Amino acid sequence: MTGKVFGVTAEIPKTGVAFLLTQLGTQAATKFAERVGALGLTPPQVGMLRMIATRPGLSQQTLAGNLGMLPSKVVTFVDDLEGRGLVTRTRSTRDRRVHELTLTEEGTELLDKIRAVAAEHEAGFCQALDTDERARLQALLERLTESHGLAPGVHPGYRTIR
Amino acid sequence: MTGKVFGVTAEIPKTGVAFLLTQLGTQAATKFAERVGALGLTPPQVGMLRMIATRPGLSQQTLAGNLGMLPSKVVTFVDDLEGRGLVTRTRSTRDRRVHELTLTEEGTELLDKIRAVAAEHEAGFCQALDTDERARLQALLERLTESHGLAPGVHPGYRTIR
DNA sequence: TATTGTTATACTCTATAACTATA
DNA sequence: TATAGTTATAGAGTATAACAATA
């Protein structure tokens, strides 16, 4: 196979599915980070807000475990989100060691914006495909994620990312 | 939509194509890193070896530019690869400032192993799909990479990764 | 004694900027 | 003066471990 790269005709290695996924996954993650960055958030923080919305009152330890983040990192992020009035820490009455996390009204509103941004991201990223093609692509990708035992909706990289 | 996560029945956000790509891209990159790690290499180093094989005699600056890496990082990597007898630096006769990079015989042999490892990676990652499904998936993914202007065979993340 | 949340610290990584040798 | 390669360094980020409060 031959093609133009860097202005020079060069041998292009036949790119397989795995490498295409690596390329597109990085691209998708970067673009999503840009979009939520406009809301003052990082992708891991978005994951936290979603998790808190899904399971209000959960502890920081549980949150860290579910998202694969370090507990010390969770402290920093919650400090930030709490300082911006998006999340509240409440000492549990049953175990005064734990801080129960919940979204404020403002946090809930921001999550709505996040959902809108995510929808824009999805639409923008798949622009080149028509509805039918997207559906077929989605079905194939779901098959792959299941075969790799990836948890639905959980980014596998929160343990190392920002 | 509802499903089991973390042992608890919870609301799962409908995962779109963009997020599935993020998940799978991270997974593919991680698994590839593990495989080439067994050869003592990082993915960026693999990219360097491939680039040097494609364009023997290129300078470190050109290599850095093409792969989106910092020149100072290239120095470190080439130090390593040269120390292991995989790559040679030769002062250019036309411009004694530049170091022309070439693969040694050993480097060429290692690149053969890398190609084998990449093939195993591809096969292993797509195990859940039959030949026909892989071809259709590949075609759809190629459409997406083209629509996003991604250069064939070039990982977009070498500028930040290890 | 074990666990939650927090803080401190050591370690790694990245990016920038100096520095040399050549042009 | 500008550029290729190198080295040094400052800043950021990560993971580990120490710590106080509570169980």
Side-chain angles (χ1 to χ4, degrees):
Chain A
M1 193 185 287
T2 305
K4 286 263 189 185
V5 222
F6 315 125
V8 176
T9 304
E11 309 256 341
I12 304 284
K14 317 135 207 157
T15 305
V17 166
F19 187 76
L20 288 166
L21 287 171
T22 301
Q23 273 187 305
L24 288 167
T26 303
Q27 180 79 353
T30 302
K31 291 218 168 183
F32 183 70
E34 284 170 8
R35 285 184 190 269
V36 298
L39 299 176
L41 297 169
T42 64
Q45 285 178 315
V46 170
M48 286 176 53
L49 292 177
R50 284 183 163 143
M51 180 71 71
I52 296 170
T54 305
R55 308 177 63 184
L58 88 173
S59 73
Q60 296 185 189
Q61 289 288 337
T62 308
L63 181 61
N66 289 354
L67 259 41
M69 295 172 59
L70 290 171
S72 56
K73 198 74 185 173
V74 171
V75 173
T76 310
F77 281 140
V78 173
D79 281 350
D80 180 31
L81 298 175
E82 189 184 37
R84 287 152 68 184
L86 303 168
V87 165
T88 57
R89 281 189 249 233
T90 320
R91 288 203 100 88
S92 168
T93 51
R94 293 186 310 177
D95 183 343
R96 290 182 44 74
R97 290 174 304 179
V98 327
H99 286 171
E100 298 177 348
L101 301 174
T102 49
L103 292 190
T104 64
E105 194 170 338
E106 214 178 326
T108 306
E109 285 166 15
L110 183 58
L111 193 53
D112 287 337
K113 284 189 199 159
I114 290 170
R115 292 201 185 96
V117 160
E120 287 167 24
H121 170 60
E122 173 75 9
F125 201 83
C126 299
Q127 226 165 2
L129 306 179
D130 64 35
T131 308
D132 195 53
E133 289 167 331
R134 284 185 212 189
R136 281 183 295 166
L137 176 56
Q138 172 140 352
L140 289 165
L141 295 178
E142 281 170 357
R143 292 261 306 282
L144 276 185
T145 54
E146 284 163 23
S147 77
H148 285 282
L150 294 171
V154 178
H155 186 112
Y158 284 162
R159 56 210 78 214
T160 22
I161 293 180
R162 264 164 284 174
Chain B
M1 193 187 287
T2 305
K4 285 263 191 186
V5 223
F6 315 125
V8 176
T9 304
E11 308 258 339
I12 304 284
K14 316 134 206 159
T15 306
V17 166
F19 188 77
L20 288 166
L21 288 171
T22 300
Q23 274 187 305
L24 288 167
T26 303
Q27 179 79 351
T30 302
K31 291 217 167 183
F32 183 70
E34 285 170 6
R35 286 184 190 268
V36 298
L39 299 176
L41 296 169
T42 63
Q45 285 179 313
V46 170
M48 287 177 53
L49 292 176
R50 284 182 163 144
M51 180 71 70
I52 296 170
T54 305
R55 309 176 64 182
L58 88 172
S59 73
Q60 296 184 188
Q61 289 286 338
T62 308
L63 182 59
N66 288 352
L67 258 41
M69 295 171 58
L70 290 172
S72 57
K73 198 74 185 172
V74 171
V75 172
T76 310
F77 281 142
V78 174
D79 282 350
D80 179 32
L81 298 175
E82 190 184 36
R84 287 152 67 184
L86 302 169
V87 164
T88 56
R89 280 190 248 234
T90 320
R91 289 202 100 87
S92 167
T93 50
R94 293 186 309 178
D95 183 342
R96 289 182 43 74
R97 289 175 303 181
V98 328
H99 286 171
E100 298 176 348
L101 302 174
T102 49
L103 293 191
T104 63
E105 194 170 338
E106 215 178 325
T108 307
E109 285 166 16
L110 182 59
L111 193 53
D112 287 337
K113 283 187 198 159
I114 290 170
R115 292 202 185 95
V117 161
E120 287 168 24
H121 171 60
E122 172 74 9
F125 201 84
C126 299
Q127 227 166 1
L129 306 179
D130 64 36
T131 309
D132 195 53
E133 290 167 331
R134 284 184 213 189
R136 280 184 297 167
L137 176 56
Q138 173 140 353
L140 289 166
L141 296 178
E142 281 169 357
R143 292 260 306 281
L144 276 185
T145 54
E146 284 163 23
S147 77
H148 286 281
L150 294 171
V154 178
H155 186 111
Y158 284 162
R159 56 210 78 215
T160 22
I161 294 180
R162 263 162 285 176

Tab-separated table of all heavy atoms in Angstrom, chain A residues 97-148:
chain	number	residue	atom	x	y	z
A	97	ARG	N	-16.864	8.756	60.080
A	97	ARG	CA	-15.621	8.869	59.303
A	97	ARG	C	-15.908	9.207	57.837
A	97	ARG	O	-15.094	9.835	57.170
A	97	ARG	CB	-14.841	7.540	59.347
A	97	ARG	CG	-14.238	7.230	60.677
A	97	ARG	CD	-13.632	5.855	60.652
A	97	ARG	NE	-14.602	4.842	60.267
A	97	ARG	CZ	-14.311	3.554	60.155
A	97	ARG	NH1	-13.092	3.122	60.378
A	97	ARG	NH2	-15.242	2.700	59.826
A	98	VAL	N	-17.043	8.782	57.352
A	98	VAL	CA	-17.294	8.915	55.912
A	98	VAL	C	-18.003	10.221	55.552
A	98	VAL	O	-18.813	10.740	56.325
A	98	VAL	CB	-18.111	7.717	55.348
A	98	VAL	CG1	-17.770	6.442	56.077
A	98	VAL	CG2	-19.591	8.007	55.380
A	99	HIS	N	-17.641	10.715	54.396
A	99	HIS	CA	-18.291	11.892	53.820
A	99	HIS	C	-19.228	11.430	52.722
A	99	HIS	O	-18.789	10.855	51.723
A	99	HIS	CB	-17.248	12.844	53.233
A	99	HIS	CG	-16.478	13.595	54.271
A	99	HIS	ND1	-15.376	14.362	53.969
A	99	HIS	CD2	-16.656	13.705	55.603
A	99	HIS	CE1	-14.911	14.911	55.069
A	99	HIS	NE2	-15.652	14.530	56.071
A	100	GLU	N	-20.506	11.700	52.896
A	100	GLU	CA	-21.471	11.358	51.852
A	100	GLU	C	-21.501	12.464	50.811
A	100	GLU	O	-21.625	13.638	51.149
A	100	GLU	CB	-22.857	11.160	52.478
A	100	GLU	CG	-22.884	10.015	53.477
A	100	GLU	CD	-24.234	9.871	54.160
A	100	GLU	OE1	-25.064	10.802	54.017
A	100	GLU	OE2	-24.453	8.853	54.841
A	101	LEU	N	-21.408	12.079	49.563
A	101	LEU	CA	-21.341	13.052	48.474
A	101	LEU	C	-22.686	13.158	47.778
A	101	LEU	O	-23.320	12.146	47.466
A	101	LEU	CB	-20.273	12.634	47.455
A	101	LEU	CG	-18.847	12.484	48.009
A	101	LEU	CD1	-17.921	11.932	46.933
A	101	LEU	CD2	-18.329	13.809	48.543
A	102	THR	N	-23.109	14.405	47.550
A	102	THR	CA	-24.328	14.635	46.770
A	102	THR	C	-24.138	15.845	45.870
A	102	THR	O	-23.288	16.700	46.135
A	102	THR	CB	-25.548	14.902	47.679
A	102	THR	OG1	-25.190	15.898	48.652
A	102	THR	CG2	-26.003	13.649	48.393
A	103	LEU	N	-24.923	15.897	44.814
A	103	LEU	CA	-24.888	17.048	43.917
A	103	LEU	C	-25.757	18.156	44.481
A	103	LEU	O	-26.842	17.892	45.028
A	103	LEU	CB	-25.409	16.670	42.522
A	103	LEU	CG	-24.586	15.717	41.674
A	103	LEU	CD1	-25.156	15.689	40.242
A	103	LEU	CD2	-23.127	16.121	41.640
A	104	THR	N	-25.294	19.379	44.352
A	104	THR	CA	-26.156	20.520	44.644
A	104	THR	C	-27.080	20.741	43.443
A	104	THR	O	-26.939	20.082	42.414
A	104	THR	CB	-25.323	21.791	44.861
A	104	THR	OG1	-24.663	22.099	43.632
A	104	THR	CG2	-24.303	21.605	45.967
A	105	GLU	N	-28.013	21.676	43.609
A	105	GLU	CA	-28.881	21.995	42.479
A	105	GLU	C	-28.055	22.490	41.299
A	105	GLU	O	-28.280	22.103	40.153
A	105	GLU	CB	-29.885	23.076	42.898
A	105	GLU	CG	-31.040	23.229	41.928
A	105	GLU	CD	-32.128	24.136	42.508
A	105	GLU	OE1	-32.185	24.282	43.748
A	105	GLU	OE2	-32.896	24.694	41.711
A	106	GLU	N	-27.043	23.310	41.649
A	106	GLU	CA	-26.153	23.824	40.613
A	106	GLU	C	-25.418	22.668	39.916
A	106	GLU	O	-25.242	22.681	38.696
A	106	GLU	CB	-25.136	24.774	41.272
A	106	GLU	CG	-24.712	25.942	40.413
A	106	GLU	CD	-23.739	26.842	41.172
A	106	GLU	OE1	-23.887	26.966	42.419
A	106	GLU	OE2	-22.832	27.394	40.536
A	107	GLY	N	-24.980	21.701	40.711
A	107	GLY	CA	-24.300	20.545	40.136
A	107	GLY	C	-25.206	19.762	39.205
A	107	GLY	O	-24.770	19.277	38.147
A	108	THR	N	-26.458	19.631	39.587
A	108	THR	CA	-27.419	18.923	38.750
A	108	THR	C	-27.643	19.654	37.431
A	108	THR	O	-27.728	19.034	36.364
A	108	THR	CB	-28.763	18.782	39.497
A	108	THR	OG1	-28.511	18.181	40.769
A	108	THR	CG2	-29.727	17.912	38.712
A	109	GLU	N	-27.696	20.985	37.536
A	109	GLU	CA	-27.859	21.777	36.312
A	109	GLU	C	-26.647	21.629	35.396
A	109	GLU	O	-26.784	21.503	34.175
A	109	GLU	CB	-28.058	23.256	36.662
A	109	GLU	CG	-29.441	23.560	37.203
A	109	GLU	CD	-29.507	24.939	37.859
A	109	GLU	OE1	-28.578	25.754	37.633
A	109	GLU	OE2	-30.471	25.201	38.615
A	110	LEU	N	-25.464	21.640	36.011
A	110	LEU	CA	-24.254	21.482	35.197
A	110	LEU	C	-24.237	20.121	34.517
A	110	LEU	O	-23.818	19.993	33.361
A	110	LEU	CB	-23.003	21.653	36.071
A	110	LEU	CG	-21.670	21.576	35.320
A	110	LEU	CD1	-21.593	22.620	34.213
A	110	LEU	CD2	-20.487	21.737	36.274
A	111	LEU	N	-24.721	19.114	35.218
A	111	LEU	CA	-24.758	17.775	34.632
A	111	LEU	C	-25.672	17.740	33.413
A	111	LEU	O	-25.402	17.023	32.438
A	111	LEU	CB	-25.218	16.753	35.682
A	111	LEU	CG	-25.014	15.286	35.335
A	111	LEU	CD1	-23.575	15.002	34.938
A	111	LEU	CD2	-25.429	14.396	36.502
A	112	ASP	N	-26.736	18.528	33.451
A	112	ASP	CA	-27.591	18.633	32.275
A	112	ASP	C	-26.809	19.205	31.097
A	112	ASP	O	-26.916	18.717	29.961
A	112	ASP	CB	-28.810	19.528	32.574
A	112	ASP	CG	-29.817	18.825	33.473
A	112	ASP	OD1	-29.819	17.583	33.496
A	112	ASP	OD2	-30.589	19.517	34.168
A	113	LYS	N	-26.021	20.233	31.381
A	113	LYS	CA	-25.201	20.812	30.311
A	113	LYS	C	-24.201	19.798	29.798
A	113	LYS	O	-23.918	19.721	28.595
A	113	LYS	CB	-24.458	22.051	30.842
A	113	LYS	CG	-25.326	23.283	30.980
A	113	LYS	CD	-24.482	24.516	31.303
A	113	LYS	CE	-25.367	25.615	31.882
A	113	LYS	NZ	-24.596	26.609	32.661
A	114	ILE	N	-23.640	19.008	30.719
A	114	ILE	CA	-22.678	17.980	30.319
A	114	ILE	C	-23.338	16.994	29.361
A	114	ILE	O	-22.752	16.602	28.356
A	114	ILE	CB	-22.139	17.233	31.559
A	114	ILE	CG1	-21.232	18.157	32.370
A	114	ILE	CG2	-21.393	15.966	31.156
A	114	ILE	CD1	-20.834	17.598	33.723
A	115	ARG	N	-24.578	16.610	29.678
A	115	ARG	CA	-25.282	15.665	28.805
A	115	ARG	C	-25.481	16.269	27.420
A	115	ARG	O	-25.351	15.580	26.411
A	115	ARG	CB	-26.630	15.296	29.429
A	115	ARG	CG	-26.477	14.471	30.698
A	115	ARG	CD	-27.741	13.687	31.029
A	115	ARG	NE	-27.606	12.998	32.320
A	115	ARG	CZ	-28.042	13.478	33.475
A	115	ARG	NH1	-28.675	14.646	33.522
A	115	ARG	NH2	-27.862	12.804	34.607
A	116	ALA	N	-25.794	17.552	27.386
A	116	ALA	CA	-25.965	18.223	26.095
A	116	ALA	C	-24.650	18.241	25.331
A	116	ALA	O	-24.602	17.953	24.125
A	116	ALA	CB	-26.476	19.646	26.313
A	117	VAL	N	-23.567	18.552	26.041
A	117	VAL	CA	-22.243	18.589	25.411
A	117	VAL	C	-21.864	17.211	24.883
A	117	VAL	O	-21.306	17.075	23.787
A	117	VAL	CB	-21.187	19.094	26.431
A	117	VAL	CG1	-19.790	18.705	26.005
A	117	VAL	CG2	-21.298	20.599	26.606
A	118	ALA	N	-22.187	16.176	25.667
A	118	ALA	CA	-21.864	14.814	25.240
A	118	ALA	C	-22.632	14.447	23.975
A	118	ALA	O	-22.104	13.779	23.079
A	118	ALA	CB	-22.170	13.824	26.363
A	119	ALA	N	-23.880	14.902	23.896
A	119	ALA	CA	-24.683	14.624	22.706
A	119	ALA	C	-24.098	15.336	21.494
A	119	ALA	O	-24.017	14.757	20.398
A	119	ALA	CB	-26.129	15.057	22.938
A	120	GLU	N	-23.664	16.590	21.680
A	120	GLU	CA	-23.013	17.319	20.588
A	120	GLU	C	-21.741	16.601	20.142
A	120	GLU	O	-21.449	16.489	18.947
A	120	GLU	CB	-22.638	18.732	21.041
A	120	GLU	CG	-23.806	19.690	21.197
A	120	GLU	CD	-23.383	20.959	21.942
A	120	GLU	OE1	-22.175	21.284	21.921
A	120	GLU	OE2	-24.247	21.609	22.560
A	121	HIS	N	-21.003	16.147	21.135
A	121	HIS	CA	-19.762	15.430	20.858
A	121	HIS	C	-20.041	14.194	20.009
A	121	HIS	O	-19.384	13.961	18.988
A	121	HIS	CB	-19.119	15.043	22.193
A	121	HIS	CG	-17.960	14.111	22.089
A	121	HIS	ND1	-16.818	14.413	21.384
A	121	HIS	CD2	-17.755	12.876	22.623
A	121	HIS	CE1	-15.961	13.406	21.483
A	121	HIS	NE2	-16.506	12.461	22.224
A	122	GLU	N	-21.022	13.427	20.417
A	122	GLU	CA	-21.397	12.217	19.676
A	122	GLU	C	-21.786	12.561	18.234
A	122	GLU	O	-21.290	11.945	17.289
A	122	GLU	CB	-22.566	11.518	20.384
A	122	GLU	CG	-23.166	10.358	19.640
A	122	GLU	CD	-22.313	9.104	19.669
A	122	GLU	OE1	-21.311	9.102	20.427
A	122	GLU	OE2	-22.612	8.163	18.930
A	123	ALA	N	-22.643	13.542	18.090
A	123	ALA	CA	-23.106	13.918	16.755
A	123	ALA	C	-21.954	14.413	15.894
A	123	ALA	O	-21.813	14.037	14.732
A	123	ALA	CB	-24.191	14.984	16.857
A	124	GLY	N	-21.112	15.276	16.502
A	124	GLY	CA	-20.002	15.834	15.750
A	124	GLY	C	-18.991	14.783	15.337
A	124	GLY	O	-18.469	14.806	14.214
A	125	PHE	N	-18.739	13.848	16.227
A	125	PHE	CA	-17.705	12.865	15.942
A	125	PHE	C	-18.124	11.899	14.835
A	125	PHE	O	-17.289	11.425	14.071
A	125	PHE	CB	-17.357	12.079	17.217
A	125	PHE	CG	-16.018	11.427	17.151
A	125	PHE	CD1	-14.866	12.151	17.458
A	125	PHE	CD2	-15.881	10.108	16.772
A	125	PHE	CE1	-13.619	11.568	17.383
A	125	PHE	CE2	-14.624	9.513	16.686
A	125	PHE	CZ	-13.501	10.247	17.001
A	126	CYS	N	-19.415	11.618	14.763
A	126	CYS	CA	-19.910	10.626	13.798
A	126	CYS	C	-20.485	11.266	12.544
A	126	CYS	O	-21.149	10.595	11.743
A	126	CYS	CB	-20.965	9.748	14.450
A	126	CYS	SG	-20.346	8.818	15.849
A	127	GLN	N	-20.266	12.547	12.380
A	127	GLN	CA	-20.832	13.308	11.265
A	127	GLN	C	-20.712	12.611	9.915
A	127	GLN	O	-21.618	12.695	9.086
A	127	GLN	CB	-20.118	14.667	11.176
A	127	GLN	CG	-21.042	15.842	11.000
A	127	GLN	CD	-20.314	17.154	11.285
A	127	GLN	OE1	-19.122	17.159	11.569
A	127	GLN	NE2	-21.041	18.264	11.207
A	128	ALA	N	-19.595	11.908	9.718
A	128	ALA	CA	-19.326	11.316	8.408
A	128	ALA	C	-20.208	10.095	8.117
A	128	ALA	O	-20.245	9.625	6.984
A	128	ALA	CB	-17.851	10.924	8.304
A	129	LEU	N	-20.889	9.591	9.144
A	129	LEU	CA	-21.698	8.385	8.948
A	129	LEU	C	-23.188	8.712	9.020
A	129	LEU	O	-23.605	9.567	9.806
A	129	LEU	CB	-21.361	7.354	10.030
A	129	LEU	CG	-19.887	6.964	10.180
A	129	LEU	CD1	-19.716	5.947	11.300
A	129	LEU	CD2	-19.318	6.432	8.868
A	130	ASP	N	-23.983	8.007	8.224
A	130	ASP	CA	-25.428	8.212	8.307
A	130	ASP	C	-25.997	7.369	9.449
A	130	ASP	O	-25.282	6.584	10.076
A	130	ASP	CB	-26.113	7.891	6.968
A	130	ASP	CG	-25.978	6.427	6.581
A	130	ASP	OD1	-26.000	5.559	7.483
A	130	ASP	OD2	-25.832	6.149	5.383
A	131	THR	N	-27.271	7.557	9.717
A	131	THR	CA	-27.895	6.918	10.883
A	131	THR	C	-27.712	5.405	10.892
A	131	THR	O	-27.379	4.802	11.912
A	131	THR	CB	-29.400	7.238	10.902
A	131	THR	OG1	-29.553	8.653	10.789
A	131	THR	CG2	-30.025	6.770	12.211
A	132	ASP	N	-27.900	4.818	9.726
A	132	ASP	CA	-27.808	3.368	9.620
A	132	ASP	C	-26.376	2.884	9.893
A	132	ASP	O	-26.155	1.916	10.612
A	132	ASP	CB	-28.267	2.942	8.218
A	132	ASP	CG	-28.547	1.460	8.155
A	132	ASP	OD1	-29.335	0.985	8.996
A	132	ASP	OD2	-27.960	0.784	7.285
A	133	GLU	N	-25.430	3.583	9.316
A	133	GLU	CA	-24.024	3.210	9.518
A	133	GLU	C	-23.629	3.335	10.984
A	133	GLU	O	-22.897	2.500	11.528
A	133	GLU	CB	-23.121	4.086	8.650
A	133	GLU	CG	-23.230	3.767	7.167
A	133	GLU	CD	-22.574	4.827	6.298
A	133	GLU	OE1	-22.520	6.021	6.709
A	133	GLU	OE2	-22.106	4.482	5.201
A	134	ARG	N	-24.084	4.390	11.635
A	134	ARG	CA	-23.779	4.577	13.052
A	134	ARG	C	-24.310	3.418	13.875
A	134	ARG	O	-23.638	2.912	14.768
A	134	ARG	CB	-24.414	5.864	13.575
A	134	ARG	CG	-23.684	7.104	13.144
A	134	ARG	CD	-24.289	8.343	13.783
A	134	ARG	NE	-24.140	9.466	12.871
A	134	ARG	CZ	-24.408	10.723	13.189
A	134	ARG	NH1	-24.882	11.023	14.390
A	134	ARG	NH2	-24.230	11.675	12.319
A	135	ALA	N	-25.521	3.002	13.558
A	135	ALA	CA	-26.133	1.908	14.314
A	135	ALA	C	-25.334	0.623	14.145
A	135	ALA	O	-25.078	-0.108	15.104
A	135	ALA	CB	-27.574	1.707	13.864
A	136	ARG	N	-24.909	0.363	12.903
A	136	ARG	CA	-24.128	-0.856	12.674
A	136	ARG	C	-22.767	-0.772	13.364
A	136	ARG	O	-22.291	-1.739	13.955
A	136	ARG	CB	-23.948	-1.086	11.168
A	136	ARG	CG	-25.182	-1.694	10.521
A	136	ARG	CD	-24.939	-1.971	9.071
A	136	ARG	NE	-24.723	-0.729	8.319
A	136	ARG	CZ	-24.236	-0.666	7.091
A	136	ARG	NH1	-23.908	-1.782	6.463
A	136	ARG	NH2	-24.085	0.489	6.486
A	137	LEU	N	-22.148	0.412	13.291
A	137	LEU	CA	-20.860	0.606	13.978
A	137	LEU	C	-21.030	0.404	15.476
A	137	LEU	O	-20.249	-0.295	16.129
A	137	LEU	CB	-20.325	2.010	13.684
A	137	LEU	CG	-19.029	2.407	14.400
A	137	LEU	CD1	-17.913	1.404	14.109
A	137	LEU	CD2	-18.593	3.814	13.984
A	138	GLN	N	-22.059	1.018	16.024
A	138	GLN	CA	-22.299	0.905	17.464
A	138	GLN	C	-22.464	-0.553	17.880
A	138	GLN	O	-21.889	-0.992	18.889
A	138	GLN	CB	-23.551	1.705	17.842
A	138	GLN	CG	-23.970	1.486	19.295
A	138	GLN	CD	-24.436	2.762	19.962
A	138	GLN	OE1	-24.329	3.853	19.412
A	138	GLN	NE2	-24.944	2.638	21.159
A	139	ALA	N	-23.216	-1.321	17.083
A	139	ALA	CA	-23.437	-2.733	17.415
A	139	ALA	C	-22.117	-3.505	17.421
A	139	ALA	O	-21.847	-4.305	18.323
A	139	ALA	CB	-24.416	-3.349	16.415
A	140	LEU	N	-21.267	-3.246	16.422
A	140	LEU	CA	-19.978	-3.939	16.359
A	140	LEU	C	-19.087	-3.554	17.535
A	140	LEU	O	-18.432	-4.402	18.149
A	140	LEU	CB	-19.274	-3.615	15.033
A	140	LEU	CG	-19.908	-4.239	13.781
A	140	LEU	CD1	-19.377	-3.579	12.511
A	140	LEU	CD2	-19.647	-5.746	13.751
A	141	LEU	N	-19.069	-2.272	17.875
A	141	LEU	CA	-18.232	-1.805	18.982
A	141	LEU	C	-18.720	-2.377	20.311
A	141	LEU	O	-17.916	-2.726	21.184
A	141	LEU	CB	-18.224	-0.270	19.032
A	141	LEU	CG	-17.586	0.439	17.838
A	141	LEU	CD1	-17.684	1.956	17.994
A	141	LEU	CD2	-16.124	0.025	17.663
A	142	GLU	N	-20.042	-2.480	20.456
A	142	GLU	CA	-20.575	-3.063	21.693
A	142	GLU	C	-20.151	-4.516	21.829
A	142	GLU	O	-19.808	-4.970	22.928
A	142	GLU	CB	-22.108	-2.936	21.718
A	142	GLU	CG	-22.571	-1.540	22.120
A	142	GLU	CD	-24.062	-1.334	21.911
A	142	GLU	OE1	-24.737	-2.258	21.406
A	142	GLU	OE2	-24.562	-0.234	22.233
A	143	ARG	N	-20.149	-5.225	20.714
A	143	ARG	CA	-19.686	-6.615	20.748
A	143	ARG	C	-18.245	-6.670	21.257
A	143	ARG	O	-17.887	-7.515	22.078
A	143	ARG	CB	-19.756	-7.213	19.340
A	143	ARG	CG	-21.160	-7.413	18.802
A	143	ARG	CD	-21.640	-8.841	18.954
A	143	ARG	NE	-20.711	-9.798	18.367
A	143	ARG	CZ	-20.612	-10.048	17.061
A	143	ARG	NH1	-21.423	-9.428	16.215
A	143	ARG	NH2	-19.754	-10.921	16.602
A	144	LEU	N	-17.407	-5.763	20.754
A	144	LEU	CA	-15.995	-5.748	21.165
A	144	LEU	C	-15.841	-5.408	22.651
A	144	LEU	O	-15.085	-6.064	23.367
A	144	LEU	CB	-15.195	-4.753	20.327
A	144	LEU	CG	-14.668	-5.246	18.972
A	144	LEU	CD1	-13.802	-4.179	18.325
A	144	LEU	CD2	-13.863	-6.533	19.138
A	145	THR	N	-16.551	-4.385	23.112
A	145	THR	CA	-16.410	-4.007	24.526
A	145	THR	C	-16.834	-5.161	25.425
A	145	THR	O	-16.164	-5.445	26.421
A	145	THR	CB	-17.255	-2.764	24.888
A	145	THR	OG1	-18.606	-2.988	24.508
A	145	THR	CG2	-16.735	-1.527	24.204
A	146	GLU	N	-17.918	-5.844	25.043
A	146	GLU	CA	-18.346	-6.981	25.855
A	146	GLU	C	-17.286	-8.070	25.872
A	146	GLU	O	-16.971	-8.640	26.920
A	146	GLU	CB	-19.667	-7.542	25.319
A	146	GLU	CG	-20.875	-6.688	25.675
A	146	GLU	CD	-22.082	-7.010	24.809
A	146	GLU	OE1	-22.128	-8.132	24.269
A	146	GLU	OE2	-22.948	-6.124	24.653
A	147	SER	N	-16.711	-8.337	24.710
A	147	SER	CA	-15.711	-9.413	24.622
A	147	SER	C	-14.470	-9.089	25.451
A	147	SER	O	-13.748	-9.985	25.861
A	147	SER	CB	-15.316	-9.656	23.167
A	147	SER	OG	-14.430	-8.641	22.708
A	148	HIS	N	-14.237	-7.803	25.700
A	148	HIS	CA	-13.069	-7.420	26.499
A	148	HIS	C	-13.432	-7.163	27.961
A	148	HIS	O	-12.588	-6.735	28.744
A	148	HIS	CB	-12.397	-6.183	25.902
A	148	HIS	CG	-11.623	-6.472	24.657
A	148	HIS	ND1	-10.377	-7.047	24.664
A	148	HIS	CD2	-11.936	-6.320	23.340
A	148	HIS	CE1	-9.943	-7.211	23.426
A	148	HIS	NE2	-10.877	-6.778	22.598
